[in-house]
Every structure is written in structure tokens, then in C-alpha cells.
Amino acid sequence: MRVLILGGDGYLGWPTAMDFAAKGHDVWVMDNYMRRNIARETCSEALMPNPNLHDRAEIFHALTGGKIHVVVGNCADYRLLSKVFVECQPETVIHYAEQPSAPYSMRGFDEARLTFNNNLNATFNLIWAVMEHAPSCHIVKLGTMGEYGTPNIDIEEGWLEVEHNGRKDKFLFPRQAGSLYHTTKVLDTDLLWFYVRTHGLRVTDLMQGPVYGLASEQSEMDERLLPNFHYDDIFGTVVNRFLVQAVASVPLTIYGKGGQTRGYLNLKDTLQCVELAMNTPVEPGKLRILNQFTEQFSVKQLAEKVQRVGNAMGLNVQIKNIDNPRKELEEHYYNAKHYGLLEMGLKPHYMTEEVIAEMLEMVARYKSGIDRNKIEPRVRWKQQS
Ligand code: USQ
């Protein structure tokens, strides 16, 4: 398969590129280093150093013989994206090229504007590049479970059948996101759905929960191939943050009461899910939505798991409930369906005690690089009083 990965420098984009190249696909990556730049500007750099894309591709090539074509540039620039499409002629595009941080998107006007412009322009340009240069290309778009919010009913897989005044119809499941970042993903889905209906695009929207983990098969060969592992308040997702906090003896930062429940998945399962989606493209004129996670936990349950395993390893892991910087429900109903990817063959890597212990051991190797100033939340969801 000839595959173009937009956002190929990211936490998920880079491991995906290596995984696909190792499996013999013809892999192209494009990235404008937005996350690296924001990380530098906000003092939120990753725990391990990550060489740039050209260097990573060279290291990967030297170790495996696999080739990854690198384009450093912005896919919100339509001319450049068109050029890449003409050269690459992708059969599948994996779209990760979004500003992925909810806290960053809530920092102020400039950050909200950048998130909005980048995410919507990238998706809009991708749609047009496909229509103009590769109309049979399958778009695999990374959405987020956060699009649904935390409704007081079961979350279905993308769609909801509604009966109203004796008649029935099927609609996109209602979306009510809790950050501007998550809202851009709601808008992405609407854009894609519009072009699927009117222009016959083929799209898979992967509604992904928070991802955790450090290693993929390829990065085990050389630490310079590790994904960018963040533990800061801007780019760090909650499990990765708790792992680093446990190693650094910083009390685990539960925001508020800790009843916030989400669907989580191991980075290795993201790779499987994206590959499953790529290998079973949908027909033209179809939007397939899959909820991409393997297990549900509350933040409190996660903290207790990390504490239990960490203490058994001789760490001194404390837990602290801190004032919640976000506006979100801290106790709520949550039951999200996720059968599609399992039916397609996903073999989950669950968050067992062994998996947590392995991740803690890996983080512990980088303990001296942990900057404790990056841990406390710096962004508050401002509310009008
Ligand atoms: N949380 C804590 N303590 C922390 C950090 C987070 O209690 O130190 C809580 C948050 O308040 C939230 C939950 O943990 O209730 C998850 O937060 P997160 O930062 O791990 O995840 P989130 O901001 O929702 O975003 C992350 C990724 C985003 C992806 C999303 C999937 O950054 O790109 O789309 O996970 S989901 O959450 O399902 O929407």
C-alpha cells in the first residue's frame, strides 16, 4: 500500500510510519513540526530527545533497510499538499496532522485561533487534495472519543438511531466536546461527512481515547526512534504523566474528584487499529466510524493502579487531588461501545500490572531528565462569571 501519513513526526505518526515501513508499505510522512515548536515555546519538551524526521528516517533505514520518504512542510498549505499528492499518489492517507493538546487550545485567543486554523485547514485541504489528485484514496482520520463528551446515555459507535413522532432515522451520535481542540475534531467529522455524502469520499473516522506507552517494536532497536513522550501539562496524556510523576516521587495529579472516565489504549494498539482500518478500506460514499480504545478507567482508578505497581517496585508513590483546571464532569455515567475494531481483528494489549511495571522501568532510565516544573497544570478553562 502507498500510504501518506500527515503529522508523521508526532507521538503516533512516527511509530505508525516505522511500523508500516517495516511491513513493506511505501511510506511517506509530512509534518510541519508544529508540536515541536509549541513544545519549545511553552517549555513542554518531551522526556527523551527526538531527532528530526530526516535523521530519524536515516537511523531507521540504517537499522532495517526500510525507507520512509520525508516532507517537512505544512499541509494547511494547499499548493504543497497538492504537490505531495501528485508525487506520492497515495492509496491511503492517515491524518494525524492536528494540534492535539486540549489545554493548549484553551490557553487564550492566539492558541485557540492556531488550533482552529491548523486543524480545520489541514482537514479541508486533505479533502480537496484527495478529490483533485487521488479520488479513490481512503482517508483514515484520527478523531477522538472526546467528541462525544460524557453524555448520560451509552455512547454508540458513531451513529444513533432516533425515533421521533413515529418515524426513525440514523444520525451522527450527538457531540458535545469539552475543549476547543476536541471541538475542532467534531467540525472535522462534519466536514468529512459532508464530502462523503456529496462527493463520494471514502473515510474512516477513528474516535480514539487517550493513548499511553513509550515503545513500539522498532523503537526497541534504538532509543533515538522512540516516540516523543510528553509528561508536561500541555502535551502529556494522563497515564504518561502519572508514570513520570511516580518515578519522580511527585504525587499523582488527579484533577478534581477523579471520577472522570475515559476509554484508554496502548500505543501498540493504535498501530494495530490504524493498520486494520487501512487494510479494509471502506467503499466510496461511506463514512465508517470506529471507537478506538480497549478499556475504560476513571482517573482515580488509573492513579491507584500506578501507585500499587510503583510501590511494589519500591517507589514512593503518593496521590493528590488538585483543583481541576478543566471544566468537565468529575462524576458521571460512561459506557462507550467499541466492538468494530475487535470484530476487525484487534488483539488488545491491556493495562496489566506487568505493562505498567515495564513502562515505569523504561521511564526510570530517563529519571535524571525529568523537569518537575513541567508537571503542575498551567492552563485553566476560563469561565465567564
Ligand atoms: N487528568 C488528570 N490529571 C492529569 C492529567 C489529566 O486528572 O494530570 C484528567 C483530565 O482532567 C481528563 C482525563 O484525565 O479528565 C484525560 O486527560 P488527558 O490529558 O489524558 O486527555 P485529553 O486532554 O482528553 O486529550 C488526550 C489527547 C488528545 C486525544 C484525547 C482522547 O491529548 O489528543 O484526542 O486524549 S479523549 O480524551 O478520549 O478525547
Side-chain angles (χ1 to χ4, degrees):
M1 192 79 80
R2 208 161 34 257
V3 53
L4 171 61
I5 300 173
L6 304 179
D9 189 49
Y11 174 56
L12 304 175
W14 174 247
T16 307
M18 288 194 295
D19 188 50
F20 286 1
K23 288 176 174 146
H25 297 292
D26 182 5
V27 178
W28 292 57
V29 294
M30 183 167 177
D31 201 293
N32 65 348
Y33 292 149
M34 172 187 280
R35 183 203 35 85
R36 284 180 189 257
N37 293 333
I38 295 176
R40 253 196 309 273
E41 282 162 24
T42 58
C43 296
S44 311
E45 290 91 350
L47 181 58
M48 300 92 175
N50 302 115
N52 67 39
L53 265 180
H54 288 287
D55 291 346
R56 283 167 146 183
E58 257 179 45
I59 297 164
F60 177 74
H61 180 65
L63 286 168
T64 67
K67 179 145 179 61
I68 296 173
H69 305 261
V70 173
V71 180
V72 174
N74 192 347
C75 52
D77 171 351
Y78 187 65
R79 272 167 218 259
L80 179 61
L81 187 65
S82 292
K83 192 167 162 271
V84 173
F85 260 76
V86 169
E87 275 174 44
C88 168
Q89 282 299 308
E91 294 160 280
T92 307
V93 176
I94 315 285
H95 177 20
Y96 291 112
E98 307 228 340
Q99 191 299 96
S101 162
Y104 183 77
S105 76
M106 301 298 285
R107 208 164 172 238
F109 177 82
D110 290 341
E111 294 85 350
R113 169 55 76 194
L114 182 148
T115 305
F116 184 83
N117 281 349
N118 178 78
N119 296 4
L120 270 298
N121 282 336
T123 301
F124 183 78
N125 285 354
L126 164 61
I127 289 169
W128 274 89
V130 167
M131 292 193 306
E132 295 204 320
H133 306 296
S136 60
C137 176
H138 175 209
I139 299 176
V140 177
K141 163 75 170 62
L142 270 288
T144 166
M145 287 298 293
E147 289 181 45
Y148 302 123
T150 51
N152 198 30
I153 58 171
D154 291 347
I155 296 174
E156 300 298 325
E157 202 145 23
W159 306 92
L160 184 67
E161 195 168 284
V162 177
E163 190 172 342
H164 182 62
N165 293 345
R167 302 181 70 82
K168 275 192 196 161
D169 206 343
K170 205 172 88 173
F171 299 93
L172 285 173
F173 193 89
R175 278 92 40 83
Q176 39 192 0
S179 79
L180 191 266
Y181 153 71
H182 288 95
T183 301
T184 61
K185 296 246 170 173
V186 171
L187 300 172
D188 281 340
T189 302
D190 274 328
L191 261 185
L192 289 161
W193 178 215
F194 169 71
Y195 282 102
V196 163
R197 291 197 312 271
T198 56
H199 291 67
L201 291 192
R202 5 175 28 175
V203 177
T204 299
D205 199 354
L206 297 173
M207 310 292 266
Q208 186 169 241
V211 182
Y212 60 88
L214 303 89
S216 67
E217 211 178 299
Q218 287 74 34
S219 65
E220 275 158 19
M221 292 183 292
D222 188 317
E223 64 166 12
R224 292 170 300 170
L225 298 179
L226 282 168
N228 35 66
F229 181 82
H230 284 272
Y231 61 98
D232 54 271
D233 61 316
I234 302 278
F235 289 113
T237 48
V238 64
V239 179
N240 291 351
R241 279 168 59 71
F242 284 176
L243 296 170
V244 170
Q245 292 166 4
V247 167
S249 303
V250 173
L252 310 189
T253 52
I254 293 183
Y255 293 170
K257 294 187 186 138
Q260 302 94 307
T261 303
R262 304 284 184 269
Y264 291 84
L265 81 164
N266 191 309
L267 171 55
K268 292 176 180 160
D269 291 342
T270 296
L271 304 184
Q272 275 193 73
C273 292
V274 172
E275 191 188 8
L276 286 167
M278 176 171 80
N279 288 344
T280 53
V282 291
E283 297 140 36
K286 189 145 193 288
L287 170 63
R288 170 175 61 184
I289 304 181
L290 298 164
N291 291 347
Q292 183 163 311
F293 68 94
T294 58
E295 305 172 89
Q296 283 188 193
F297 299 110
S298 70
V299 171
K300 185 163 175 280
Q301 287 171 324
L302 285 175
E304 286 168 355
K305 264 174 167 291
V306 173
Q307 181 180 46
R308 201 165 43 246
V309 179
N311 285 346
M313 291 167 69
L315 299 169
N316 175 21
V317 185
Q318 307 289 325
I319 293 179
K320 193 165 113 192
N321 293 74
I322 62 173
D323 193 23
N324 195 341
R326 305 184 183 197
K327 188 168 188 302
E328 61 184 358
L329 295 180
E330 293 170 8
E331 284 171 333
H332 58 88
Y333 179 76
Y334 199 78
N335 183 32
K337 307 279 173 66
H338 57 115
Y339 45 80
L341 284 156
L342 291 169
E343 282 171 9
M344 287 161 70
L346 170 66
K347 303 269 176 294
H349 293 79
Y350 292 115
M351 200 192 296
T352 59
E353 302 211 333
E354 292 71 42
V355 166
I356 296 176
E358 260 174 42
M359 294 190 294
L360 284 170
E361 274 164 22
M362 180 99 177
V363 170
R365 300 219 291 270
Y366 297 88
K367 186 175 175 185
S368 62
I370 299 173
D371 178 352
R372 298 163 71 101
N373 295 320
K374 289 180 178 165
I375 288 172
E376 281 294 305
R378 291 168 291 177
V379 179
R380 302 208 145 261
W381 275 219
K382 290 197 187 67
Q383 293 174 41
Q384 300 293 334
S385 50

